[in-house]
Amino acid sequence: MNPPDRSQGQSPQERFRRLIDIGTALVSELDLEAVLRSVVEAARELTAAEYAALGVLDRDRTELERFIYLGIDDETKRAIGSLPCGRGVLGELIREPVPLRLRDVNEHPHAYGFPPGHPPMRSFLGVPIAVRGETYGNLYMTEKQDGAEFDDEDEEAAKTLAIWAGVAIDNARLYTKLSEHEAEVEQALRRAETSVDIARAVGGETDVARVLELIVKRARALVEARTLLVMLRKGDRLVVTAQAGKTGEEVRHLTIPAADAVFQAAMGERVAQHLERGSPPSEARLRERLGAETALVVPLLFRGYAVGALVALDREAGGTEFDQEDLRLLQAFASSAATAVATAQGVESERLQQQVEIGERERQHWAQELHDDALQGLAAIRISLAIALQGEGSGRAERIEAAATETVERLEGQINDLSRLINDLRPAVLERLGLAGALEALAEECSARGGLEVDTEIEIGESLSREEERVVYRLVQEALNNVLKHASAGSAKVSTRLVDHQVQIAVRDDGCGFDPDSAPEGRGLVGMRERIELLGGEIAVRSEPRGGTQISARVPVQTS
């Protein structure tokens, strides 16, 4: 079927108005696939071509990785075979991204000819599409109606369309990235909400059976597992103490040696295990004994000690395999679950209740951080793009381009802020560098972020438990954050030393200071005070207006 012959007999003004209409429709479309298809349809219409196509370049910009076409039906396509990849005349536009207009494409020196079954084509017009100064692909139009040749007006229309296409493609790609970014933030919030819900559900329970029932059911629903087991340590073995999903008599009496390679890695080395299809069986042949193909084994860690493990077996109803997100969710769940199990097994209720409350406040703090910074920043980006898209007039393309540029800059800032929040939520640097190295890295990061000179004096020669390391790291982190936010200081000094089974911490700055009696402590410092006091330590703040500030703390530790 021939394209509608709208370009024939049109005045330049009519064609220009049609170009404006097409461009407006293109930049208002946010789906990339729809944009590409619309560009090909517009090219065919504007130039009265029988055939039109858009070739998208690969990463190296040497070949076409995609080819979207119009004018050739499915039967003809099957007869032709493979789609073009950018050889011959099409390759000319890849090598030299400038408009190319030919009376007869077959006479070009680089013409390869057409494969059997290909419809005859003579007149040819090709123009490149650029996105942010780089060639994205090319528009091809062949066989102008009534055997005519493409003229200057056709070429100008195609070049103008290519400009619109570049803006629309960039806009659609930015929108896609923004949507993905929003999805990641929403996913992080869901994980935080899940942790809060779990803590609320099991935090106040002291009955072991009830706690285990809550844990096993919620963990199974969380990762959509066919079977979920809670295995607790009893002597040198792990025993199934709760199960949910498809379980049989074999599960009820299942015990596994704690020295089994998989469980030893999970509990002894504190590394969650992801057993995929085809991976070697465990020494205890856990999956084989339970008729499962995949498994997640996540340690239940309380104060650095593995009290047991969560075991998820197969996706429910034959779904896909477990992925890394499932592993992260189950790990986040496991920390709350381990605390609940330890509480129910007789850990001092009052002190553990304090831990739950502190953890709740910290989660609320990070949720607020995400709301105040990340979500509001993304909302501002969305509004900026919406305003740019709503306007009309001759300067609309410039406004959209400016909004897109601003969006990229803002997204880079949001990504940096989220990276910082994720590191604050779970300082992986402690695992990589140990406490001393992590504190040095923290001081360097604060210096780079705030233009602050930070000196360190770290003298911790013996190993601390993970909880003790985390408390020390968090205290120094919160103190330095307060210096950056409030002190207007030029320099600060961090001192940590281990003396007589105590870590002595001091963070001093030469900033503006304040009156400790009249200034309330921030939420972060309140949480640190509670955690330090929970470990039997103490913290003190000394400051005066224009006299700088010093935060000192003493934390008793169980060194090895």
Side-chain angles (χ1 to χ4, degrees):
M1 182 174 118
N2 291 334
D5 189 2
R6 292 183 181 172
S7 72
Q8 301 298 314
Q10 284 185 335
S11 68
Q13 292 80 7
E14 289 173 330
R15 180 178 280 194
F16 177 75
R17 284 196 294 270
R18 183 58 187 149
L19 268 170
I20 294 298
D21 292 340
I22 289 172
T24 302
L26 280 178
V27 297
S28 65
E29 176 60 63
L30 297 176
D31 179 79
L32 181 59
E33 294 303 312
V35 167
L36 297 179
R37 181 79 179 180
S38 297
V39 169
V40 179
E41 291 172 349
R44 190 183 184 206
E45 174 193 340
L46 287 168
T47 60
E50 178 130 6
Y51 310 102
L54 192 159
V56 180
L57 296 178
D58 60 12
R59 288 181 178 273
D60 297 329
R61 294 182 173 81
T62 57
E63 292 187 345
L64 301 178
E65 68 174 12
R66 292 195 60 196
F67 196 79
I68 302 102
Y69 60 90
L70 282 177
I72 295 178
D73 58 31
D74 292 340
E75 183 177 348
T76 304
K77 164 63 183 66
R78 284 192 293 271
I80 295 172
S82 301
L83 292 172
C85 60
R87 300 287 190 269
V89 175
L90 301 189
E92 281 294 289
L93 275 167
I94 297 175
R95 291 185 290 273
E96 295 289 337
V98 294
L100 177 64
R101 180 153 47 103
L102 303 171
R103 182 185 64 81
D104 188 344
V105 69
N106 301 286
E107 295 177 357
H108 192 278
H110 289 157
Y112 281 7
F114 298 108
H118 197 288
M121 294 181 180
R122 289 174 294 278
S123 56
F124 175 88
L125 173 60
V127 294
I129 297 174
V131 175
R132 292 185 173 273
E134 293 186 346
T135 304
Y136 176 85
N138 298 301
L139 266 179
Y140 310 109
M141 292 134 283
T142 60
E143 207 60 10
K144 189 173 176 69
Q145 288 179 13
D146 300 329
E149 295 181 35
F150 294 108
D151 56 24
D152 291 340
E153 291 184 358
D154 293 324
E155 184 174 329
E156 286 302 315
K159 289 194 293 185
T160 304
L161 175 63
I163 294 171
W164 280 113
V167 173
I169 290 167
D170 191 34
N171 191 31
R173 293 199 305 187
L174 285 173
Y175 179 79
T176 300
K177 289 180 181 178
L178 177 60
S179 299
E180 292 171 351
H181 192 57
E182 288 181 324
E184 291 173 0
V185 173
E186 290 172 1
Q187 193 175 68
L189 284 174
R190 283 197 300 272
R191 286 200 295 269
E193 289 167 358
T194 297
S195 296
V196 172
D197 289 343
I198 292 165
R200 285 174 176 163
V202 303
E205 287 287 345
T206 55
D207 178 75
V208 174
R210 174 60 179 159
V211 167
L212 291 174
E213 180 186 4
L214 286 169
I215 288 173
V216 75
K217 288 182 177 179
R218 286 178 178 265
R220 178 175 177 247
L222 193 63
V223 296
E224 299 179 351
R226 175 178 62 83
T227 304
L228 200 295
L229 310 177
V230 176
M231 305 190 74
L232 297 182
R233 188 193 295 268
K234 290 189 177 179
D236 60 353
R237 301 191 71 80
L238 292 163
V239 179
V240 175
T241 52
Q243 61 274 329
K246 295 182 180 180
T247 59
E249 196 63 27
E250 170 77 6
V251 173
R252 301 181 191 281
H253 304 290
L254 179 66
T255 67
I256 299 288
D260 175 86
V262 169
F263 286 91
Q264 175 60 30
M267 298 174 60
E269 300 174 16
R270 304 168 184 170
V271 178
Q273 301 296 296
H274 185 180
L275 307 179
E276 301 175 289
R277 286 185 174 90
S279 60
S282 68
E283 295 172 22
R285 301 187 68 81
L286 172 68
R287 288 175 294 166
E288 292 73 15
R289 290 167 67 179
L290 301 181
E293 293 185 319
T294 63
L296 298 176
V297 180
V298 177
L300 291 167
L301 298 171
F302 180 72
R303 291 189 176 179
Y305 177 75
V307 298
L310 295 177
V311 181
L313 297 162
D314 285 350
R315 279 280 197 176
E316 195 169 21
T320 58
E321 293 190 11
F322 296 118
D323 56 25
Q324 289 303 307
E325 179 62 18
D326 294 318
L327 191 61
R328 284 192 291 269
L329 281 173
L330 204 57
Q331 285 177 302
F333 178 95
S335 61
S336 296
T339 300
V341 170
T343 304
Q345 288 177 325
V347 180
E348 183 181 355
S349 61
E350 182 178 350
R351 297 184 68 192
L352 281 177
Q353 186 60 36
Q354 279 184 278
Q355 284 191 316
V356 173
E357 291 171 358
I358 293 168
E360 178 77 9
R361 279 196 291 274
E362 285 185 352
R363 281 186 287 271
Q364 290 173 351
H365 169 69
W366 297 123
Q368 189 66 40
E369 288 277 337
L370 283 171
H371 177 271
D372 289 346
D373 294 333
L375 291 185
Q376 290 188 13
L378 290 174
I381 291 171
R382 179 185 289 173
I383 292 170
S384 174
L385 285 176
I387 291 173
L389 291 173
Q390 286 173 0
E392 297 293 341
S394 60
R396 190 170 189 271
E398 289 80 6
R399 291 196 302 274
I400 291 173
E401 184 175 358
T405 301
E406 182 182 2
T407 295
V408 171
E409 294 174 353
R410 287 188 175 183
L411 279 176
E412 289 175 351
Q414 289 293 310
I415 290 169
N416 291 335
D417 288 344
L418 276 175
S419 297
R420 179 179 57 80
L421 280 175
I422 291 168
N423 184 65
D424 287 348
L425 280 166
R426 186 182 178 187
V429 68
L430 276 175
E431 301 291 337
R432 298 196 313 270
L433 305 178
L435 179 57
L439 291 176
E440 295 282 1
L442 177 62
E444 293 176 3
E445 188 267 337
C446 289
S447 293
R449 180 156 52 100
L452 180 73
E453 182 180 348
V454 182
D455 293 327
T456 57
E457 188 175 295
I458 313 298
E459 298 178 9
I460 301 177
E462 299 179 70
S463 61
L464 279 59
S465 71
R466 294 181 69 182
E467 175 66 13
E468 291 162 351
E469 286 186 342
R470 192 164 68 88
V471 168
V472 173
Y473 180 88
R474 289 293 194 206
L475 173 62
V476 175
Q477 182 184 52
E478 187 63 33
L480 287 177
N481 282 340
N482 285 341
V483 174
L484 290 175
K485 291 179 182 178
H486 309 297
S488 299
S491 65
K493 182 173 182 178
V494 176
S495 171
T496 59
R497 62 186 67 206
L498 187 62
V499 180
D500 294 333
H501 303 291
Q502 291 185 347
V503 177
Q504 296 176 357
I505 308 159
V507 180
R508 298 185 294 275
D509 69 71
D510 61 359
C512 59
F514 62 98
D515 183 1
D517 295 329
S518 60
E521 290 183 340
R523 286 178 300 179
L525 199 54
V526 169
M528 288 302 98
R529 181 184 295 278
E530 290 176 338
R531 284 204 177 275
I532 286 172
E533 291 177 351
L534 193 63
L535 292 176
E538 58 187 20
I539 185 172
V541 179
R542 188 171 70 248
S543 181
E544 59 184 53
R546 297 180 300 279
T549 301
Q550 175 171 313
I551 295 176
S552 304
R554 175 186 57 80
V555 182
V557 296
Q558 300 294 323
T559 55
S560 57

